[in-house]
Amino acid sequence: MRMSNRIHANRRWRTKGLLTACLIALFLLTACGDFWESGSVEMLKSQQMHLRRDVITIVQGDSYCLPVSFTPDSLFNQAVFWQSLDTTVCTFVNDTLHALSPGITQVVATATIHQFSDTCYVQVLPPMQATPGRYPYDMILYASVNVHGTPLTIENSDSFLIAAYAGEELRATGRMMQHHDIPYMMMRIESPFSYGEAITLRCYFVGEARFELFPDTLVFTGETCGTLSSLYPLTLDQHAEVYQPVINGDEVIVVPDTVEIEL
């Protein structure tokens, strides 16, 4: 009788132990599942993709590879799908944007991983080609040009377009030349007025879709500014102001390329 009681007691302890072990294992699995899910959500929250530029100003006919940043850096090699909301303004070939016609649109970048996406504005400007003979008055600028510490010459000037503006109207583009082994830029600036217009100068970085503003503001005088023996110094340093179009939220204000002036 005592032996039978011992057997039953041992069976009860084994049953209780097995049940306890199962409950502990179930708790651990559940806890691990909660921890993994929470960790995954936090990991996804820490992963991001964004375009490094909110507004891209590019000249018609130019192309530009849009820079994208990923967080963490280990995601940098993820494929990105690009979409232009107006393919008449710009389009994409792989990761390269091609400016087709003047206008403003938005582009969308979507990463294949987790469908991360970001958008930016693209403003395409008309070709930087001034029409000579448009206005009755002109003045010639003879200048030496230095861009970010590099003196411009005929050989290295293809990466830069220097242009003169009255307000937002293109009035002239510069051309690099050489005189007695001395490089210089010649620019014929036209105006409807014989005196007084404020002329600003911009440098466009070809292939980088970027305008920077020279600090100089010239006053139109109808006379020569600088000479071949004493060139006007144009210097664009690393801290130059970047030109951007006017954008207010989702509303884009397009500044006309030409301004009608009544004589």
Side-chain angles (χ1 to χ4, degrees):
M1 185 70 178
R2 291 179 179 176
M3 181 65 69
S4 176
N5 289 337
R6 287 181 181 178
I7 291 174
H8 287 298
N10 289 337
R11 287 176 178 175
R12 285 197 299 271
W13 278 109
R14 284 198 297 269
T15 303
K16 288 181 179 180
L18 180 60
L19 179 61
T20 301
C22 290
L23 290 174
I24 292 173
L26 180 61
F27 171 78
L28 290 175
L29 287 173
T30 304
C32 289
D34 289 341
F35 173 78
W36 181 88
E37 183 178 355
S38 175
S40 297
V41 171
E42 293 302 319
M43 181 180 68
L44 289 175
K45 289 181 179 179
S46 66
Q47 294 179 350
Q48 297 179 355
M49 181 204 78
H50 68 274
L51 299 176
R52 297 179 194 171
R53 295 176 62 177
D54 296 325
V55 180
I56 295 168
T57 304
I58 187 170
V59 172
Q60 179 181 338
D62 198 11
S63 58
Y64 177 60
C65 187
L66 278 67
V68 179
S69 290
F70 286 95
T71 303
D73 294 338
S74 58
L75 300 177
F76 77 97
N77 61 344
Q78 297 299 320
V80 177
F81 173 77
W82 298 90
Q83 180 185 12
S84 169
L85 299 189
D86 188 342
T87 55
T88 65
V89 174
C90 67
T91 188
F92 285 89
V93 176
N94 297 325
D95 291 338
T96 301
L97 178 148
H98 293 270
L100 302 181
S101 62
I104 292 185
T105 186
Q106 280 185 297
V107 299
V108 182
T110 304
T112 56
I113 181 171
H114 304 310
Q115 297 297 297
F116 293 143
S117 66
D118 197 8
T119 63
C120 72
Y121 284 102
V122 173
Q123 181 187 37
V124 177
L125 299 181
M128 295 174 63
Q129 298 173 352
T131 304
R134 186 174 174 193
Y135 293 123
Y137 304 100
D138 65 30
M139 78 175 192
I140 298 177
L141 171 66
Y142 294 103
S144 61
V145 184
N146 188 297
V147 176
H148 294 185
T150 300
L152 293 197
T153 65
I154 295 177
E155 288 75 19
N156 67 7
S157 62
D158 289 345
S159 298
F160 310 96
L161 295 174
I162 314 296
Y165 289 81
E168 292 295 326
E169 183 182 8
L170 176 66
R171 290 294 180 81
T173 54
R175 183 161 59 102
M176 292 303 301
M177 307 178 75
Q178 189 165 300
H179 177 71
H180 294 316
D181 297 328
I182 298 176
Y184 68 95
M185 183 191 72
M186 193 275 285
M187 181 182 291
R188 183 181 297 273
I189 305 170
E190 296 187 349
S191 174
F193 308 107
S194 60
Y195 186 88
E197 265 198 311
I199 304 297
T200 58
L201 300 165
R202 301 176 191 170
C203 177
Y204 179 72
F205 293 72
V206 179
E208 298 181 27
R210 186 172 83 255
F211 276 98
E212 291 186 5
L213 305 179
F214 284 93
D216 311 70
T217 298
L218 306 179
V219 176
F220 187 90
T221 62
E223 300 178 357
T224 299
C225 182
T227 64
L228 291 178
S229 59
S230 180
L231 298 171
Y232 182 93
L234 281 178
T235 301
L236 197 66
D237 63 26
Q238 298 283 351
H239 305 290
E241 181 182 354
V242 176
Y243 167 81
Q244 293 284 22
V246 180
I247 293 183
N248 181 16
D250 291 334
E251 179 182 357
V252 180
I253 303 173
V254 182
V255 179
D257 178 57
T258 58
V259 179
E260 296 295 331
I261 301 177
E262 294 184 5
L263 300 179

